[in-house]
Amino acid sequence: MKKQMIFNGFSKRFSTKNEDQYNSIGRFWDYMSELYGVENLVGLGYNWDKDSIEYIIGLRSNDIMTKPLTGEFSDAVWKEVSIPYIGWEIYEGVVGTLKETYDAIYDEYKYDTETDGPDDETKNAIDYEIEYFDENGNFEIHIHRNKAYLNIGGYYYG
């Protein structure tokens, strides 16, 4: 069984301060949609740190993107990232509810300082998020979590 797949596209790091990523990644999507059409694209968020996220936009077909990037996105670089093939949770909605959907996703497994132990901070942390959008303003988000510390009924599974 396949355990990994390759995701490729143009990558750029975006600030998450003051939730700025919703605007800046949105501009990246708008720009790339002008070049390739929104329904041909797929986005991958990964490699978070305290104040930023790395985000790749590629083609759903996984083909090589050949059009040069200019302006605000001229510093984006081509990347290929190996990501898990299985273990994704799927969420759907409309673009107007994107932030609220992500708030719910992040809160679902939020670290609780009162009940979680010191080694639990990364349990169920998001490793990767894949985003699809369509011309009608719908989205589909695929979330892959760090399952190393999945807590079910008080038992941890890896």
Side-chain angles (χ1 to χ4, degrees):
M1 176 192 294
K2 251 184 174 178
K3 293 190 179 198
Q4 298 287 310
M5 61 183 160
I6 300 297
F7 189 103
N8 63 47
F10 283 106
S11 176
K12 186 168 171 69
R13 184 160 285 283
F14 294 92
S15 171
T16 56
K17 290 180 182 176
N18 301 315
E19 298 182 334
D20 184 55
Q21 73 273 20
Y22 293 107
N23 294 319
S24 56
I25 292 173
R27 287 192 310 274
F28 193 30
W29 267 93
D30 291 344
Y31 178 84
M32 296 299 281
S33 294
E34 288 292 320
L35 296 175
Y36 293 98
V38 70
E39 294 195 14
N40 295 316
L41 300 175
V42 58
L44 172 70
Y46 75 109
N47 199 13
W48 285 263
D49 66 21
K50 183 177 173 241
D51 296 318
S52 66
I53 180 175
E54 190 162 353
Y55 197 87
I56 298 175
I57 294 182
L59 293 171
R60 290 186 191 203
S61 64
N62 214 28
D63 289 338
I64 303 294
M65 299 172 120
T66 57
K67 298 176 183 175
L69 304 187
T70 61
E72 179 182 4
F73 305 107
S74 62
D75 60 343
V77 296
W78 185 261
K79 283 206 175 169
E80 293 184 353
V81 178
S82 179
I83 60 175
Y85 189 73
I86 59 174
W88 296 83
E89 303 165 26
I90 299 174
Y91 301 82
E92 297 175 330
V94 294
V95 172
T97 64
L98 187 63
K99 182 188 176 316
E100 292 80 8
T101 301
Y102 271 112
D103 287 347
I105 290 168
Y106 296 142
D107 285 346
E108 189 174 349
Y109 294 104
K110 196 171 199 171
Y111 178 72
D112 185 334
T113 56
E114 292 185 25
T115 60
D116 292 333
D119 296 329
D120 295 340
E121 278 193 67
T122 61
K123 76 175 185 193
N124 295 312
I126 296 174
D127 297 315
Y128 305 99
E129 60 187 31
I130 294 177
E131 297 177 321
Y132 301 93
F133 296 94
D134 69 23
E135 293 286 344
N136 298 319
N138 300 304
F139 67 77
E140 184 174 295
I141 301 170
H142 296 222
I143 298 292
H144 193 276
R145 297 185 187 276
N146 175 351
K147 300 287 186 179
Y149 300 104
L150 180 57
N151 182 348
I152 300 175
Y155 297 96
Y156 286 94
Y157 298 88

